[in-house]
Amino acid sequence: MSRQASRLDAKKVNSEFLTLTYGALVTQMLRDFENVEDVNKQLERIGYNMGMRLIEDFLARTSAPRCLELRETADRVQQAFRIYLNIQPTISNWSPSSDEFSLLFDSNPLTEFVELPPDLTNLRYSAILSGCIRGALEMVQLEVQCWFVQDQLKGDNVTELRVKFVRRLEEVIPAGED
Amino acid sequence: MIIYGVYIVSKSGGLIFNLDNNVPRIEHEKTFTYPLDLVLDYDSKKVSVAFNRKDGINVGHVLVAVNGIAVNGVTIDDGRDVKATLESAENYPINLKFSRPKMTTNEKIFLASMFYPLFAIASQLSPEPRSSGIELLEADTFTLHCFQTLTGIKFIVISETGLNGIDLLLRKVYELYSDYVLKNPFYSLEMPIRCELFDNKLQELLAQVEKTGISNIDK
């Protein structure tokens, strides 16, 4: 996904390529671990490590300033999905205290050709996404929880990813930024 | 348009990357007769000029060679002591080579970790709350530009004074960092950057900036 010509260029990889590669990763992990819960955990962990690196790319591309409220953060996350996956999730279901929101996906490129076999109903196939959000936000000193509430793979109408703000990591805010 | 160096300081204040660029290395060689008319300062690590500059050999320059044999600290490479050699008249006439002192990697690491608290202090000294740290530090021979990302990494460029648009260059270095360092699966975060691709791209960028100016950086 590196840039060559223009600054905010369209992605250059066919999304099917991503779908297939990710599918291969998940299948391999199912073979390696056997236990579905372990796979969920590993996917989430991979996503977390990706997020920690991806955030720099996002910041370098967009020159986004620091978020001072969760609504801004939600917009940025939405923008990131547009940049990296070319999908625009809908932001909704704000909690009354504005510390929780949902991202609704009509389509998810990761699951495009996927059907879950009946014995894998516990698998959180796209767990990499929640890990990614958590890792990325942690690098900008926001601790969040992130989990799937609904999943199209499990027969729901939409895929819903819930994000809950836990706290600001005050101790690691860089000097001159706090 | 001269860029002297690029430094990257990690979130925790360690120097993870440095690149010296285009610093003219000034060396002066001269044959001296007895007695030596330079006042030399012999400290434990190096021999430097303390007084009486002449012929481009300036106060602060360090001795690098005696009669063409390199000097290592306070001893000549053939084993003789510099001070003893220079003080005995039978060694004259003698050819001495002086150069501007060069920073060692350790000194660079030390200076980078000094900049870290300075940056923090600057933001606390501010009369206004929520000030940034040092973004620009000017001296008569160079300017230091610093850009801190939201994640706390500092990108520092040392350049000649009076240049505009260095912040654009810093952003571009950030982009290169996010592309060629963070997308390298063998790079672990917070560790010194040893990525050849990044080195090359950065050098290309600096060469381009020096040739055609910052406004022509292709994005």
Side-chain angles (χ1 to χ4, degrees):
Chain A
M1 269 191 232
S2 82
R3 292 165 283 285
Q4 277 139 25
S6 71
R7 201 171 153 80
L8 280 173
D9 52 354
K11 60 184 177 131
K12 296 206 190 54
V13 187
N14 191 323
S15 75
E16 293 181 6
F17 180 65
L18 175 73
T19 313
L20 289 174
T21 325
Y22 185 67
L25 175 72
V26 178
T27 338
Q28 184 62 46
M29 287 172 73
L30 284 168
R31 209 170 292 148
D32 288 351
F33 288 107
E34 291 170 5
N35 182 352
V36 175
E37 264 316 304
D38 286 349
V39 177
N40 288 338
K41 250 185 236 152
Q42 286 299 322
L43 283 175
E44 152 95 29
R45 203 176 64 96
I46 293 172
Y48 176 79
N49 287 322
M50 277 171 59
M52 287 174 86
R53 291 168 178 245
L54 212 50
I55 183 72
E56 305 280 7
D57 185 77
F58 177 76
L59 293 175
R61 272 175 189 236
T62 59
S63 325
R66 178 173 298 280
C67 295
L68 296 171
E69 52 169 340
L70 196 63
R71 284 176 195 270
E72 285 177 61
T73 312
D75 287 342
R76 297 281 152 66
V77 173
Q78 189 185 36
Q79 188 187 2
F81 273 103
R82 208 163 50 226
I83 294 179
Y84 294 111
L85 291 177
N86 202 18
I87 48 171
Q88 177 142 351
T90 317
I91 300 169
S92 69
N93 299 351
W94 280 95
S95 66
S97 54
S98 286
D99 66 344
E100 259 182 70
F101 63 92
S102 289
L103 294 160
L104 300 178
F105 301 87
D106 297 328
S107 64
N108 175 354
L110 294 184
T111 60
E112 209 165 311
F113 311 114
V114 180
E115 289 174 56
L116 277 192
D119 56 324
L120 290 179
T121 45
N122 286 333
L123 177 69
R124 290 193 296 277
Y125 187 84
S126 315
I128 202 161
L129 294 182
S130 53
C132 213
I133 293 177
R134 198 165 60 83
L137 292 185
E138 188 173 306
M139 290 297 276
V140 285
Q141 299 88 39
L142 291 174
E143 187 179 326
V144 297
Q145 279 173 350
C146 194
W147 69 94
F148 283 94
V149 184
Q150 301 185 66
D151 195 337
Q152 278 164 327
L153 284 182
K154 293 170 186 167
D156 299 312
N157 280 331
V158 287
T159 299
E160 178 177 354
L161 190 56
R162 192 92 180 134
V163 179
K164 182 183 190 331
F165 171 84
V166 181
R167 66 188 177 111
R168 248 185 124 194
L169 300 161
E170 298 289 346
E171 68 274 20
V172 291
I173 295 181
E177 290 284 346
D178 48 349
Chain B
M1 170 142 286
I2 308 172
I3 312 289
Y4 296 122
V6 178
Y7 298 80
I8 303 178
V9 177
S10 77
K11 198 159 57 169
S12 42
L15 183 69
I16 53 173
F17 179 82
N18 78 81
L19 174 89
D20 290 326
N21 184 56
N22 204 356
V23 184
R25 182 145 176 78
I26 296 177
E27 284 185 335
H28 291 283
E29 210 166 349
K30 192 174 176 330
T31 305
F32 291 88
T33 50
Y34 193 80
L36 196 60
D37 51 357
L38 293 170
V39 180
L40 294 181
D41 180 24
Y42 305 90
D43 76 8
S44 58
K45 294 260 170 56
K46 61 185 189 300
V47 179
S48 56
V49 181
F51 201 58
N52 275 356
R53 64 168 181 196
K54 62 180 292 184
D55 300 338
I57 300 171
N58 222 327
V59 172
H61 283 187
V62 295
L63 181 67
V64 289
V66 174
N67 288 333
I69 307 167
V71 168
N72 200 348
V74 291
T75 52
I76 308 175
D77 268 1
D78 58 12
R80 287 179 296 167
D81 183 61
V82 172
K83 190 170 184 184
T85 311
L86 293 184
E87 281 173 355
S88 48
E90 72 266 23
N91 289 324
Y92 285 77
I94 195 168
N95 178 284
L96 301 178
K97 192 193 219 172
F98 288 90
S99 129
R100 220 163 42 183
K102 216 179 149 194
M103 252 198 289
T104 64
T105 310
N106 267 341
E107 283 167 332
K108 281 180 194 157
I109 292 173
F110 177 72
L111 288 179
S113 45
M114 289 264 273
F115 183 73
Y116 184 78
L118 280 181
F119 185 95
I121 289 169
S123 80
Q124 299 205 345
L125 276 178
S126 153
E128 291 285 331
R130 296 184 175 277
S131 165
S132 77
I134 297 173
E135 289 180 345
L136 184 76
L137 195 142
E138 274 190 340
D140 60 347
T141 54
F142 74 95
T143 308
L144 180 152
H145 301 259
C146 176
F147 164 59
Q148 176 169 261
T149 69
L150 293 187
T151 53
I153 298 161
K154 291 182 190 64
F155 292 87
I156 298 168
V157 163
I158 314 268
S159 71
E160 64 174 326
T161 54
L163 295 183
N164 290 320
I166 297 281
D167 41 336
L168 245 143
L169 173 68
L170 284 164
R171 291 236 151 233
K172 188 70 193 168
V173 177
Y174 185 26
E175 267 182 41
L176 290 182
Y177 168 80
S178 66
D179 273 350
Y180 294 101
V181 177
L182 294 180
K183 286 174 191 166
N184 180 348
F186 299 108
Y187 174 74
S188 42
L189 296 177
E190 296 274 297
M191 294 308 279
I193 298 168
R194 291 183 220 288
C195 304
E196 213 175 298
L197 266 178
F198 177 68
D199 289 355
N200 297 343
K201 293 284 171 184
L202 185 60
Q203 254 146 13
E204 270 172 39
L205 174 69
L206 293 182
Q208 196 196 357
V209 165
E210 291 192 317
K211 242 185 259 151
T212 62
I214 288 173
S215 51
N216 295 324
I217 296 178
D218 41 77
K219 309 218 168 71

